[in-house]
Amino acid sequence: MAREISPGSPVEDLATPAVLIDVAVLDRNIAAMGAAARAAGVRLRPHAKTHKLPEVGRRQLAAGASGLTLAKTSEAEVFADAGFDDLFLAYPVVGLGKPERLLALAGRVRIAVGVDSLDGARALAAPFAAAGRAVDVLLKIDTGSRRVGVRPEDAPALAVALAEVPGLAFRGLFTHAGHTYGAETAEAVRVAGEGEGAALARTAAQIRARGVDVAEVSVGSTPSARHAMRVEGVTECRPGNYVYHDATQVSLGTCGLEDCAMTVVATVVSVPERGRAVVDAGSKTLSTDPLRPHPGGHGFVLGRKSRLSRLSEEHGVIDVVEGESFRVGERVRILPNHACVVSNLHDEVIAVKDGRVAEVWRVAARGMVQ
Ligand SMILES: Cc1ncc(COP(=O)(O)O)c(C=O)c1O
């Protein structure tokens, strides 16, 4: 059985591996993005994929966020149950039973859904139309990430068609500039962010010219947020990762190490030879998501130059650089490559204040795949 974790106990007493959230850094990140959105004059609707925690979502709303963004229907159900009443599913919700579940959700919270096809939108709208209701939809625009979403030039015709589907209320456009994670320089991030905002604002104007109202123009990824939100015509921003940051954001130059709220505490379980140490945090703890924009191991070992070079499920292998050493039983702090996937791997995270356990947060929306 896992050891009981008592509030007030020092981090040094926690069994490992464990995921720690530094509450002071978390609150500072939340406040900073809230202030940036206010200064830009846009609403902030953070993506809760990063934390999957009602406790953090409440902190974001308290700091001025207008609502939350999620991806999956089951995540929306968890957050609605936790009392959140304004949710956007920034994902093409397509599939058996999903529209009906969204109709049920729409009976108790304000919900909007992303679409990128007429077929998907019609399927989504059917139960709403049958119930004499309409679901708010935002059309996903691909501004460079080449994942889901229609190209800007294809959006006006689709928006006109969507506006005529019974059971739908066309509310606007959204995009996610995932391609900023491949940007090599701060300048490239700025150009991508401004391009993201400009493409969306331009597309909104073209749709309005066809007589369809576009109330929401929603942008956002953590690297691009501060640039995209300042573009004229943008109304909303949806960064997610900024609450915790991670090794990828540090590598991209989005933030410094001191802005990273999530770390993993691990124990060195083996030092089989000079140059190699092994910790008890492997892919089950850290995931195998690569460092971006360039591959560079599986997480930073804080305070050391040595990096985690290899993971298997239960083992994290550190390549020990010249001049550094590790000893069996030593505890290390790891900054993960990608915080969002780490949240999804753990039942609970430990909120830490001044080096002591403040609270244990159950990751209520982890593992919600449907
Ligand atoms: C649609 C959408 N919006 C917003 C975000 C938040 O982006 P980030 O985690 O870079 O802040 C994501 C992340 O994947 C996303 O897919």
Side-chain angles (χ1 to χ4, degrees), residues 47 49-50 90 140 147 174 176 181 220-223 238-241:
H47 205 311
K49 64 178 300 201
T50 306
K140 176 96 187 241
R147 200 169 57 179
F174 77 109
H176 168 60
Y181 283 91
S221 71
T222 291
R238 309 178 325 279
N241 187 274

Side-chain angles (χ1 to χ4, degrees), residues 279 281 286 296-299 301 306-311 316-318 334:
V279 293
L286 296 167
H298 294 280
V301 183
S306 303
R307 295 231 180 142
L308 281 158
S309 63
R310 216 161 16 107
L311 299 183
V317 179
I318 300 175
I334 298 165

